[in-house]
Amino acid sequence: MKRLILLILIIVMACSAVWGGNSILSFHGMPVRYYGNDIYGLSMGDTGMADNFRYNSGFGNPALHNASNRTLLATGLLFGFTKYASGNGEKFVDDALDLPYLSLSMPIKKHRIGFQVNSHSSGLVKNFRSFTTADSLNIKERHIMDRYIYKGDLIYSYRMGRFSAGASLNYYFGHDVRTFDQIVKKASQRFYSPGEGIARSYKGPSFTLGAMANYDRFSAAMYYRPNVTLKGFSRRHVIYSTADNMNNRDPDYVPSRDVYEEPEADYEYELPWEVGLGTSILPFKEHKLNVDLHYEAWNQLDSKLQDGIKLGVGWAYEPVAETRDSYLSKLPLRAGFSWRALPFKVNDEPVAEYAVSCGVSFPLKRDINRLDLGFQMLKRGNLDTNKLSDTSFMFMLGFTGFDIIGKAGDRTAPREIPVKEEMNQW
């Protein structure tokens, strides 16, 4: 019963999440991108596409096949804060919260099936500004961008000796909501409150193919996802209102505003084809090295964009617990570094992203149950070239395990032991 309650809580928490990655660059595109790694991999340089030397629950590569007979349930949480900076010296700190994935993988002989619900890309930012003009106009502006794409995967993989192949059916659904409000007060006490916004929603199916080779001290993997066109609608609205006789009103009073909505129009959002290559190596006893490379062909969709590239390198130290005396010396440790070229430009200059991360794992009661902790510091954009940048400090918390289906039966109930029968000799 406790396991069932925990499972329900995790699913409700993950499926109800509407939070996403924050970035000051969100007005130009979706700066935050999730490539399918679990918390273990995120804290190891965002790697793990080919890491089959552990209970891996990040299924960005559908061929990632755990050969055990265990059912793996995993989810994670990212939380922290982001520091924004602009070229004119303005700075702001905002908190951030994201639930990047919920995955479940089940074995059926040499097959594995599973599903994963995760974020794909996002960009959230809120900008507030207040100023007074030379002709005594007091102006307050609010600019909000909310962009997010979610992805649901139905995953299948099959293992043939040292090789495995997999495919996943993907369904994308997202939104792009942008609003701008302005409150203007004149010396004559006439009040203006204009605003406008646009809301877009889109969705569509796709698929991903993957392959993987597994050896004693080396594994390699790749995946491919074709172009996908998400279809939906776009709706624009305009807000405008005025109010007189403001002298007797509360200074923060905002009158009712008229909203005019334009007719709904068809809208399409394209994602480019994407390919990933990865490897996991055991160069020394108790040490592991991961390298992942992702490539997205954005320039083929729009000449104003550039191709997206992500390179991650991670190292892990996983001691053999039986050879260690103290609890702390048994804990697996890891660290990593990643570099990414974002697909869009800011101030007509390319945008780069750098991140360093580290983490530790705590084994729980059963051998597959694990608690992963991690930390990531990420810098995106450059004040000298892009005139905008943000730096995030994110803590990571992940759960893996909870083999509900594979739970051993209760054999502690009392049993009747038969008495040996004495055979008389004739």
Side-chain angles (χ1 to χ4, degrees):
M1 180 58 71
K2 291 182 179 180
R3 290 176 177 270
L4 180 60
I5 294 175
L6 179 60
L7 174 61
I8 295 174
L9 289 176
I10 291 175
I11 293 176
V12 171
M13 180 179 66
C15 294
S16 63
V18 294
W19 304 287
N22 296 25
S23 174
I24 198 173
L25 307 175
S26 299
F27 291 117
H28 303 273
M30 296 192 191
V32 181
R33 177 73 164 86
Y34 175 67
Y35 291 93
N37 293 311
D38 56 10
I39 294 298
Y40 183 108
L42 285 170
S43 58
M44 192 180 170
D46 198 2
T47 62
M49 182 196 318
D51 189 358
N52 209 29
F53 299 110
R54 63 180 177 92
Y55 290 113
N56 195 338
S57 55
F59 299 103
N61 172 26
L64 188 63
H65 185 103
N66 182 270
S68 74
N69 62 345
R70 301 305 187 101
T71 297
L72 301 179
L73 172 68
T75 188
L77 175 68
L78 276 70
F79 58 97
F81 60 92
T82 303
K83 181 180 179 181
Y84 304 142
S86 63
N88 58 11
E90 295 181 346
K91 297 182 180 180
F92 178 71
V93 177
D94 193 11
D95 55 3
L97 177 64
D98 196 6
L99 291 170
Y101 66 93
L102 170 69
S103 65
L104 177 65
S105 173
M106 299 174 291
I108 303 178
K109 296 183 178 179
K110 292 184 178 181
H111 312 265
R112 286 193 81 92
I113 61 173
F115 77 89
Q116 179 166 266
V117 180
N118 58 266
S119 60
H120 177 272
S121 51
S122 63
L124 306 177
V125 65
K126 296 180 181 180
N127 183 30
F128 297 91
R129 191 167 70 120
S130 179
F131 59 95
T132 303
T133 63
D135 53 351
S136 299
L137 283 177
N138 182 261
I139 301 176
K140 294 182 179 180
E141 293 181 347
R142 181 183 64 172
H143 200 175
I144 300 176
M145 174 59 74
D146 180 354
R147 287 173 162 157
Y148 213 118
I149 297 179
Y150 304 86
K151 184 164 71 80
D153 303 325
L154 180 61
I155 306 164
Y156 168 79
S157 65
Y158 179 77
R159 185 154 187 166
M160 302 160 286
R162 294 186 178 274
F163 301 92
S164 61
S168 63
L169 296 177
N170 317 127
Y171 193 81
Y172 298 86
F173 50 101
H175 62 256
D176 188 332
V177 180
R178 183 168 183 166
T179 58
F180 176 80
D181 294 296
Q182 191 179 69
I183 298 176
V184 182
K185 294 182 181 179
K186 298 184 67 174
S188 61
Q189 300 300 317
R190 189 168 182 82
F191 179 94
Y192 299 83
S193 182
E196 62 178 338
I198 185 169
R200 295 165 175 162
S201 179
Y202 36 80
K203 56 188 176 181
S206 184
F207 65 90
T208 304
L209 301 177
M212 190 169 181
N214 303 280
Y215 297 91
D216 294 337
R217 304 182 66 86
F218 169 81
S219 64
M222 68 171 297
Y223 73 87
Y224 169 77
R225 190 206 65 201
N227 284 33
V228 54
T229 300
L230 310 181
K231 297 183 178 182
F233 67 87
S234 175
R235 183 172 55 242
R236 184 184 298 273
H237 69 269
V238 179
I239 303 173
Y240 189 80
S241 68
T242 63
D244 293 307
N245 302 321
M246 294 295 295
N247 290 324
N248 297 325
R249 296 187 184 275
D250 187 280
D252 295 325
Y253 167 76
V254 177
S256 60
R257 299 184 291 177
D258 296 325
V259 179
Y260 169 75
E261 291 190 355
E262 296 181 359
E264 191 174 286
D266 294 336
Y267 180 76
E268 292 185 351
Y269 185 86
E270 288 188 272
L271 293 173
W273 62 266
E274 177 183 343
V275 65
L277 301 172
T279 182
S280 185
I281 306 171
L282 303 178
F284 309 105
K285 184 180 179 181
E286 300 181 335
H287 292 265
K288 179 171 58 180
L289 178 67
N290 287 352
V291 180
D292 282 12
L293 176 65
H294 305 267
Y295 178 84
E296 300 168 280
W298 284 99
N299 186 255
Q300 297 183 16
L301 298 181
D302 189 341
S303 59
K304 296 180 181 179
L305 300 176
Q306 61 179 10
D307 293 337
I309 303 174
K310 173 71 175 284
L311 174 65
V313 179
W315 163 88
Y317 169 66
E318 298 192 348
V320 179
E322 292 77 8
T323 63
R324 300 294 189 274
D325 296 329
S326 66
Y327 178 78
L328 293 178
S329 63
K330 299 179 182 180
L331 299 180
L333 305 175
R334 55 194 172 272
F337 168 83
S338 66
W339 165 84
R340 177 177 169 229
L342 275 66
F344 56 84
K345 296 182 179 181
V346 176
N347 196 34
D348 294 326
E349 294 291 339
V351 181
E353 173 188 288
Y354 301 91
V356 293
S357 58
C358 60
V360 60
S361 295
F362 295 90
L364 300 180
K365 287 185 177 181
R366 302 192 66 187
D367 57 346
I368 69 167
N369 292 357
R370 188 181 74 234
L371 174 66
D372 296 322
L373 301 180
F375 174 78
Q376 180 193 69
M377 183 176 69
L378 181 147
K379 187 179 187 301
R380 189 183 294 117
N382 187 290
L383 286 179
D384 295 331
T385 57
N386 306 125
K387 306 303 179 183
L388 292 173
S389 74
D390 57 54
T391 305
S392 63
F393 303 88
M394 302 296 292
F395 298 92
M396 308 178 191
L397 176 63
F399 299 93
T400 301
F402 307 106
D403 188 7
I404 301 172
I405 296 178
K407 181 180 179 181
D410 184 3
R411 303 181 183 275
T412 61
R415 301 182 183 183
E416 181 179 352
I417 301 175
V419 178
K420 181 180 178 181
E421 183 178 357
E422 297 291 341
M423 303 295 295
N424 296 326
Q425 295 183 353
W426 293 88

